[in-house]
C-alpha cells in the first residue's frame, strides 16, 4: 500500500516539500516574529498533509469504484496520452476483450496498459 501511495502522491509530496522549504526560508527572515518558524511549519505541514491525504483517499475510492464497475461490465472511460489530438479517451469494457491486471487495464489491441487511477465510470 505504501508503494501505491508514493506512486500516486509522489509529485504532490515533492511539491509539499518545496512549499515547506519556502515556508522555512520566509519564516527565518529577520522581519518575522520569534515563533514564526514553529507556527509556520506546523500549519503548512498540517494543511499539506490533509490535502495529500484527502487526494489519496479520493483517488483510491475512485479506483475501487472503477474496478467494481469493470467487473460488472459497465463502461469505463480512461485518459489516453498516446493521441492527444484525436482520441483523448478510451472506452474500456470487460466484454470488449479488456482485462484487469493489478491496477492496470490491458487489451491485446493496445500497446500499453491504462492505470485505473486515470479512469472513471461512464
Amino acid at each position: 500500500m505504501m508503494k501505491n501511495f508514493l506512486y500516486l502522491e509522489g509529485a504532490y509530496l515533492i511539491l509539499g516539500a518545496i512549499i515547506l522549504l519556502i515556508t522555512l526560508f520566509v519564516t527565518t527572515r529577520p522581519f518575522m516574529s520569534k515563533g514564526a518558524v514553529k507556527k509556520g511549519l506546523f500549519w503548512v505541514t498540517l494543511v499539506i498533509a490533509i490535502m495529500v491525504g484527502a487526494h489519496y483517499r479520493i483517488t483510491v475510492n475512485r479506483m475501487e469504484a472503477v474496478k467494481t464497475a469493470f467487473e460488472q461490465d459497465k463502461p469505463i472511460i480512461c485518459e489516453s496520452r498516446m493521441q492527444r489530438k484525436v482520441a483523448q479517451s478510451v472506452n474500456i469494457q470487460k466484454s470488449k476483450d479488456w482485462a484487469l491486471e493489478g491496477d492496470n487495464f490491458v487489451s491485446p489491441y493496445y500497446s500499453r496498459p491504462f492505470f485505473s487511477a486515470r479512469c472513471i465510470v461512464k
Side-chain angles (χ1 to χ4, degrees), residues 1 13 27 40-41 44-45 56 80 83-84 88 100 107 114:
M1 202 65 161
L13 293 173
T27 56
L41 288 178
V44 171
T45 301
Y56 177 71
S80 176
Q83 299 174 348
R84 282 295 204 193
Q88 293 184 353
L100 184 60
S107 171
F114 293 91

Side-chain angles (χ1 to χ4, degrees), residues 2-67:
M2 184 55 83
K3 179 184 172 190
N4 204 12
F5 175 77
L6 292 175
Y7 183 71
L8 292 171
E9 302 300 322
Y12 299 114
L13 293 173
I14 292 169
L15 287 173
I18 292 169
I19 291 169
L20 284 174
L21 288 173
I22 293 169
T23 302
L24 182 64
F25 177 77
V26 170
T27 56
T28 56
R29 299 300 92 201
F31 57 85
M32 296 297 289
S33 63
K34 280 203 172 220
V37 175
K38 283 184 183 178
K39 288 178 187 175
L41 288 178
F42 172 76
W43 288 109
V44 171
T45 301
L46 182 66
V47 168
I48 290 171
I50 289 170
M51 292 173 72
V52 168
H55 183 264
Y56 177 71
R57 180 77 354 235
I58 290 167
T59 301
V60 168
N61 288 343
R62 186 178 65 245
M63 287 171 66
E64 290 301 320
V66 165
K67 289 178 186 179

